[in-house]
Every structure is written in structure tokens, then in C-alpha cells.
Amino acid sequence: MPVRRGSGVCQISQDGRPVDDVEEQKLPYITLAEVKRHNTPDDCWMIIHGGVYDVGRLLHKHPGGSQILLKYAGMDATLPFDDVGHSMESLKYDMPAGSLKGLLHPNDRPAGKQDRLSESEAADEKDDGADCITMAHNRSHECRMVLNKVYTVALYTTIIICVSLLLYTRLTWQYKMGAQHAMVHEIRHHVEDNFASPGTHLKARDDEFGIPAWAY
Ligand code: HEM
């Protein structure tokens, strides 16, 4: 007998307990071929998380509309069901009572996919979750390692460029100064040779123009 619980309906066993556990309901296995046969608006089944549901009575009550459900008639709708963000609770409480016809036959389950409906397999799911967290952790660690390398290479490149610029500036400056010194020497000798006795008033001129001693 179906009764309302929370926002939806759940099944009650013969001794009056709510039947949440699928194993308790002794559901039959249903093959994929059988599910595929129920693919019309009047006879619409679909597989969600390993459970085979008759969604006929949900069609016109479904908040997301009937069209979207019909799109997956006779098919495994687990991925779109999850993508939209439905919770597993939704399957239990929003699905009209008696909609769960059976479990998808193990031979027809996608490899590596767990049936979330039985407890032992729910435990496996937990492990899967832990695996996912470990994988995500490892990935983020790898990402950080790669980023560290990128930052290190960028830092060394910047240092090399700065040092090269400094060296270049220093060499250019030295070259320019050398050329200036040579010019000053040349002018001085020219003036001394032609206009003055060595070292007389030119020294005064040098001081006047601020030409330092090291320039000679
Ligand atoms: C067969 C079992 C399903 C049940 C019991 C169910 C139940 C619900 C419920 C209760 C809502 C409104 C609140 C919520 O987002 O949880 C909803 C919304 C919706 N559902 Fe489903 N649904 C089922 C399957 C599907 C499937 C297979 C699809 C395909 C993509 C789907 C698409 C949607 C969409 C698009 C919305 C509207 C979401 C929004 O407007 O935010 N549903 N469904």
C-alpha cells in the first residue's frame, strides 16, 4: 500500500514497514531489450541508476515536463537525470509508488557502473567517491607541480634578461666613455701642439669645463 512520506510517496511492506531497501522488495531483473520495448507515451519505461522505472504516471506530473522524459523512453536516463541535478531522494519520494518495476539485468549494466540501489553496492559507491576525491587530490597536486615549474622557469628567464640588460648597458657605457676620452686626448694634444706650451692654461680650462683627471 503506498503512503505519502515527506513530499512524495513510498511503499509499505506487508508488515507495515516502509520499504526503502530494494532487496526487500524482491525485484526481478529486467533485460535492456525488454526496457527498450516500452518506449511510447502510453507505455514508457526507463533505467535510472540500475533501476527500471515505469514513468507512465510521472509523465504529466513531472516538473521538468513530459517531453524530456519521453526523449529517454526505453533508454538508460541516468546521465541526463544526474546532469539536471536530481537527487536520489527524488527517485524514492517523487516517483509514484509501484513505478520501480525491477533492476536492470547485471549483464546489461555498463561496465564499471554501479547499481546504486542495493546497500552492498552503495558501499562500493562510497569507495568510488573516495577514489574520486583521491584522484582529484592527485590531479590538483600535479597541477601545482606543473605551475611551480612554470613559475621557476619564468623567474630564471626574468633574471637572465635583467642581467643581460645590465651587462649590455655597462658595456655600451664603457664604450661611449672610451670614445669620449680618446676625443678629449686628441683635442688636448692638438691644442697643445698648435696653440700653447704643454700643461699651462689648458689645465685651468680642464678645471673650468669640469673634465676630471681620470679622463686622461
Ligand atoms: C524518472 C525519474 C525522475 C523523477 C522522479 C524526476 C523528478 C523531478 C523533480 C522532483 C523535479 C523538480 C525538482 C528537482 O529539480 O529535483 C524535476 C525537475 C526536472 N527534471 Fe526530472 N525527474 C526524473 C527524471 C528526469 C529525466 C530523465 C530528465 C531528463 C533530462 C529530467 C529532467 C528534468 C528537468 C529539466 C527538470 C527541471 C529542472 C529545473 O527547472 O530546474 N527528469 N524532476
Side-chain angles (χ1 to χ4, degrees), residues 46 48 53 55 58 62-64 68-69 72 77 80-81 84-87 90-91 94-95:
M46 67 180 60
I48 296 174
Y53 295 90
V55 293
L58 177 75
H62 180 233
I68 192 117
L69 291 183
Y72 298 98
F81 178 85
V84 171
H86 296 88
S87 67
S90 184
L91 282 180
D94 297 316
M95 196 67 107

Side-chain angles (χ1 to χ4, degrees), residues 61-120:
K61 289 195 275 175
H62 180 233
S66 59
Q67 282 308 311
I68 192 117
L69 291 183
L70 286 171
K71 201 172 147 192
Y72 298 98
M75 293 162 66
D76 190 329
T78 307
L79 285 180
F81 178 85
D82 282 351
D83 278 354
V84 171
H86 296 88
S87 67
M88 290 302 285
E89 297 294 292
S90 184
L91 282 180
K92 213 186 277 177
Y93 300 123
D94 297 316
M95 196 67 107
S99 300
L100 184 57
K101 307 304 283 181
L103 300 178
L104 182 62
H105 195 282
N107 290 349
D108 289 334
R109 290 184 204 174
K113 234 348 201 179
Q114 300 294 326
D115 172 359
R116 293 197 191 179
L117 296 170
S118 77
E119 262 180 34
S120 60

Side-chain angles (χ1 to χ4, degrees), residues 133-201:
I133 292 169
T134 317
M135 263 170 61
H137 181 80
N138 288 346
R139 284 225 184 101
S140 82
H141 181 70
E142 277 167 22
C143 283
R144 259 182 280 131
M145 295 289 282
V146 172
L147 272 182
N148 278 350
K149 277 184 190 152
V150 171
Y151 288 145
T152 312
V153 170
L155 181 69
Y156 279 123
T157 313
T158 315
I159 290 173
I160 289 170
I161 290 174
C162 287
V163 169
S164 308
L165 274 175
L166 276 174
L167 279 174
Y168 174 78
T169 315
R170 187 158 188 265
L171 283 173
T172 325
W173 183 79
Q174 271 182 344
Y175 174 78
K176 274 188 192 161
M177 288 309 289
Q180 272 181 9
H181 294 171
M183 207 168 69
V184 168
H185 272 291
E186 205 178 308
I187 294 169
R188 195 170 193 280
H189 288 307
H190 180 74
V191 171
E192 279 176 357
D193 289 349
N194 295 297
F195 306 107
S197 54
T200 51
H201 66 282

